[in-house]
Amino acid sequence: PARMIAARIAARSRAVAGVRRAAVEQIFAHESRSVAVNSSSTLRFTGSTHHDHNENSRNKRDQWKWAYIGLGTTLGYAGVGAAFWTLEKDSLSAHAKAQQAAKLMPAKEIHGKWKQVEEVGRDNALQQMSLNWVFRQAATLLTNLDVAVDDETVRIVTQGGYVISITEKYGYDGGEYVCSRRDNRSGKHIGRIVESTPTKVVLKITWDDPYGGEMYETFELLGDGRLKQTNKIKVNQDGTTGKAGEWYTYYSIFVRQ
């Protein structure tokens, strides 16, 4: 914003003026003059000098004056340049987020209610997450999806009859959103939309220990009108091997209700 730019440039100019004043005082110290710098950055010489006011001293004085003006101009340009460099640096992350958000198109084609008709590989993923048999059996009940898409957010409700319901919402601004962990453990997970088209949305989700990990989750409308949910997951420690986890992919297929 223009007001913020003006404020930062003014602050930088004040800092440059301080450096400039200190430099001039150092230059004129051996001349036994007091140097005063007014608001328009001009010089005013006061006090006495042990040099005669002859032509040589005037020439020398003029040389110091022009040296000061040159120094002040250089520092002034440097200060303004530094101010704009700082503003540009500060705006890089905001610009990157704006560029990412501009590429995220609402996945309105996946909007609606869906029922699972096929699932492959989920139980093995849950074992890698060190989830017990009871929880894994409960997860098999999560067969319904309610996907609500508007111009700003996508809301995904995963349901298992009237017993289990998981609700998550993510924005198309590229920002991070905090949700409860799906494994019902302590802590939260952080998710954001990393890709979105009219027929597909991709989430990146991370969660910390206990049993931390990360996942890319894709909801994509297939050519035959079905919805495919693909989960690519990697846990910090594989519950089946006790070693560092590796990327593992499982998926589910849904039809419209």
Side-chain angles (χ1 to χ4, degrees), residues 4 7 9 18 41 48 56 67 73 85 91 97 104 107 119-120 128 178-179 182 187 196 202 220 240-241 250:
M4 182 182 297
I9 291 177
S41 298
S48 62
N56 290 334
T73 302
W85 178 84
S91 66
K97 289 182 179 179
L104 299 177
E119 179 272 309
V120 176
Q128 292 183 34
V178 179
C179 304
R182 298 179 184 179
S196 185
V202 181
E220 183 174 13
T240 63
T241 65
Y250 63 100

Side-chain angles (χ1 to χ4, degrees), residues 167-171 175-181 187-192 204-207:
T167 301
E168 298 173 0
K169 180 183 285 188
Y170 305 95
E176 295 181 334
Y177 289 75
V178 179
C179 304
S180 298
R181 286 179 57 151
K188 303 286 185 179
H189 82 227
I190 297 175
R192 64 186 179 94
K204 181 179 181 181
I205 298 173
T206 60
W207 60 98

